């Protein structure tokens, strides 16, 4: 895995003048060296995407669907290889890396299916008023233009898939900028796309450094931006290009609520197991990881020791080890930041029930209680394996506590009460409410996104396709209806 990787410029391999080393966050070894495109090569890719706009939009649906199906099949065939690549560049344990490949397989398959049925058009009779006699409106969707997809490091394959697959499905050219820390998975998608019959210029994968991203963001030939990352960067992008169409999938402060009716031994064991697993999967580096547990006072004392035991049972270590549950964070600096936030909370009165220790880029799965509401670990997105516990006296207090956050991505509510589920759906200021499970559940075909500082717009294949397109109506005149 240490050869130099070319990037993909308008569907073909190319190399630039500079290179970028990709290293393992687990042991610092060199995973690969990536060629970085020059400014002239970036310009060539953007110009190619712009020039192919109309050709790609007019490509028959079966051609786009076949390309997407091909990528899905090839991902299946190379699952183990790709999982090990993800694990090496990202530090993700193999069990989670394999799951990520499986999700990307589904994303491309869903996109192929949607490409075949998307844009059949909606007919509307206009003769409901006398002035519309003999007239019929036909509404179809057309690409807004070329897409700039900016992907993060935490899901280096699947979140690239969520940018690329919907764009191809609607016939919108896309330039993908993978995260500099984890570009290899995105480049591998390019390798599979190169095996298809898509038009030259319809896609590029450009591993440009973040300090050169602004030029791409500002380019008027890329009127659609799909960004996944921090709220600070995401809203800075939107503010800098107010006339562009931006989809922002940003941070979260995921809460798992355990209501009073979720009280049997089996209930609490299930909740504790799910909370422990999904507070720590991906090293906590998921915007819908469980960061806050908000439990009714009637179950709190029975739930807490179960959570602590389940967290302490998480196996930490080498991500290449089949038994590892929790690997390192993406860098030692990221682990040091988590360490500083936990130390701050402890100095303010929080109690460490598990973990609380750093070793290089790894941070032990951590459980905190008695955390002040204004502590950084309570207010911000930790993006690390840290879980805070809070006792509440009622359902209404639980829901108010969930909403007491600048973020609103997803929330989980453990309850058997259908009425409580609907109250949660109505009351919680989030983009998704998961009943009977943690907020970390995501099906790649469902609408996914948040409110408040968690972002704007929705992903999920069909919903991203809507975001990449706009409605255009045609009125037919002189018809006998």
């Amino acid at each position: 895995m240490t050869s130099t990787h070319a990037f993909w410029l308008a569907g073909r391999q190319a190399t630039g003048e500079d290179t970028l080393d990709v290293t393992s966050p687990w042991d610092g070894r060199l995973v690969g060296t990536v060629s970085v495109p020059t400014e002239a090569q970036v310009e060539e890719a953007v110009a190619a995407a712009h020039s192919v706009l109309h050709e790609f939009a007019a490509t028959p649906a079966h051609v786009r669907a076949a390309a997407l199906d091909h990528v899905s099949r090839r991902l299946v065939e190379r699952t183990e290889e790709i999982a090990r690549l993800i694990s090496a560049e990202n530090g993700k344990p193999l069990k989670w890396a394999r799951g990520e490949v499986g999700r990307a397989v589904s994303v491309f398959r869903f996109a192929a299916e949607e490409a075949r049925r998307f844009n059949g058009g909606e007919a509307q009779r206009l003769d409901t008023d006398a002035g519309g006699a003999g007239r019929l409106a036909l509404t179809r969707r057309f690409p807004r233009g070329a897409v700039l997809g900016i992907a993060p490091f935490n899901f280096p394959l699947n979140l690239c898939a969520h940018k690329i697959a919907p764009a191809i499905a609607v016939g919108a050219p896309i330039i993908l900028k993978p995260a500099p820390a984890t570009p290899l998975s995105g480049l591998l998608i390019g390798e599979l796309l190169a095996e298809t019959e898509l038009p030259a210029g319809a896609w590029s994968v450009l591993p440009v450094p973040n300090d050169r991203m602004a030029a791409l963001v500002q380019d008027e030939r890329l009127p659609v931006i799909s960004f996944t990352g921090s709220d600070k960067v995401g809203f800075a992008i939107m503010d800098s290009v107010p006339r562009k169409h931006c989809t922002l999938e940003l941070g979260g402060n995921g809460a798992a609520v355990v209501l009073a009716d979720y009280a049997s031994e089996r209930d609490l064991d299930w909740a504790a197991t799910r909370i422990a697993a999904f507070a720590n999967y991906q090293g906590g580096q998921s915007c819908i990881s469980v960061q806050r547990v908000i439990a009714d006072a009637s179950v709190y004392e029975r739930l807490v020791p179960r959570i602590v035991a389940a967290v302490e049972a998480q196996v930490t270590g080498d991500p290449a080890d089949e038994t590892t549950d929790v690997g390192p964070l993406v860098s030692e600096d990221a682990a040091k930041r988590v360490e500083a936030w936990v130390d701050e909370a402890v100095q303010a009165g929080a109690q460490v029930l598990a973990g609380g220790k750093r070793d290089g880029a790894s941070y032990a799965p951590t459980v905190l209680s008695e955390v002040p509401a204004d502590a950084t670990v309570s207010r911000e997105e930790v993006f690390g394996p840290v879980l805070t516990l809070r006792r509440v006296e009622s359902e209404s207090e639980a829901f108010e506590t969930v909403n007491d956050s600048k973020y609103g991505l997803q929330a989980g509510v453990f309850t058997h009460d259908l009425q409580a589920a609907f109250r949660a759906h109505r009351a919680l200021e989030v983009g998704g409410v998961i009943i009977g499970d943690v907020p970390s559940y995501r099906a790649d075909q469902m609408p996914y996104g948040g409110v408040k500082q968690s972002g704007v717009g929705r992903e999920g294949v069909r919903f991203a396709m809507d975001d990449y397109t706009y409605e255009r109506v045609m009125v037919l005149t002189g018809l006998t209806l």
Side-chain angles (χ1 to χ4, degrees), residues 33-375:
T33 300
V34 172
S35 186
V36 177
T38 65
E39 291 184 6
Q41 289 170 319
V42 171
E43 164 59 27
E44 183 180 349
V46 175
H50 184 68
S51 68
V52 80
L53 277 174
H54 299 298
E55 176 189 352
F56 195 31
T59 302
H62 72 87
V63 173
R64 288 178 272 120
L68 293 161
D69 272 331
H70 174 84
V71 175
S72 181
R73 288 193 302 270
R74 293 287 283 138
L75 288 171
V76 171
E77 293 168 1
R78 298 176 63 176
T79 291
E80 190 63 21
E81 170 200 348
I82 299 169
R84 292 186 180 278
L85 178 65
I86 292 170
S87 183
E89 70 170 342
N90 172 276
K92 184 174 299 191
L94 270 175
K95 64 175 66 177
W96 295 115
R98 292 189 184 106
E100 181 174 348
V101 179
R103 289 181 62 187
V105 168
S106 295
V107 168
F108 278 98
R109 187 182 74 249
F110 295 151
E113 295 166 355
E114 293 292 353
R116 292 185 174 98
R117 58 176 168 251
F118 184 71
N119 216 358
E122 178 182 346
Q124 181 182 17
R125 292 180 67 137
L126 301 180
D127 61 354
T128 49
D129 284 324
R135 296 177 186 262
L136 182 76
L138 180 66
T139 302
R140 297 168 60 199
R141 301 190 70 90
F142 294 86
R144 295 177 184 273
V147 178
L148 171 61
I150 304 171
F153 70 83
N154 57 330
F155 289 87
L157 181 78
N158 194 42
L159 292 184
C160 288
H162 270 286
K163 310 300 181 190
I164 291 174
I168 292 173
V170 301
I174 181 165
I175 291 177
L176 176 76
K177 179 200 163 324
T182 57
L184 299 176
S185 299
L187 291 172
L188 191 142
I189 293 177
E191 181 181 335
L192 304 184
L193 286 171
E195 298 171 353
T196 71
E197 301 298 323
L198 294 176
W203 57 274
S204 294
V205 182
L206 304 180
V208 298
N210 289 339
D211 60 8
R212 290 173 53 195
M213 184 171 72
L216 281 168
V217 168
Q218 294 292 330
D219 198 303
E220 294 182 357
R221 294 167 295 179
L222 302 172
V224 180
I225 298 176
S226 178
F227 171 85
T228 302
S230 73
D231 56 321
K232 180 180 179 181
V233 175
F235 283 115
I237 288 173
M238 177 174 277
D239 291 344
S240 73
V241 286
R243 291 179 176 81
K244 288 196 176 191
H245 185 86
C246 296
T247 297
L248 306 179
E249 299 300 335
L250 308 178
N253 189 351
V257 176
V258 184
L259 295 181
D261 73 288
Y262 215 80
S264 73
E265 300 297 306
R266 181 178 180 180
D267 286 343
L268 296 179
D269 286 343
W270 165 257
T273 299
R274 297 293 285 177
I275 287 167
F278 288 94
N280 297 293
Y281 85 125
Q282 327 289 341
Q285 297 169 122
S286 168
C287 47
I288 47 175
S289 68
V290 185
Q291 183 173 324
R292 298 181 289 160
V293 174
I294 301 163
D296 190 89
S298 63
V299 299
Y300 183 86
E301 297 299 337
R302 295 164 58 212
L303 178 65
V304 169
R306 286 174 161 87
I307 290 176
V308 171
V311 168
E312 290 179 335
Q314 296 287 300
V315 177
T316 61
D318 185 348
D321 189 322
E322 296 283 354
T323 65
T324 297
D325 299 310
V326 186
L329 275 69
V330 72
S331 67
E332 186 169 358
D333 284 346
K336 287 180 176 178
R337 176 190 54 76
V338 173
E339 179 182 43
W341 288 11
V342 171
D343 290 348
E344 174 196 73
V346 170
Q347 291 169 11
Q351 301 296 309
V352 179
L353 304 184
K357 301 294 183 182
R358 181 180 66 84
D359 181 9
S362 296
Y363 197 82
T366 297
V367 181
L368 303 175
S369 65
E370 309 301 326
V371 181
D374 61 352

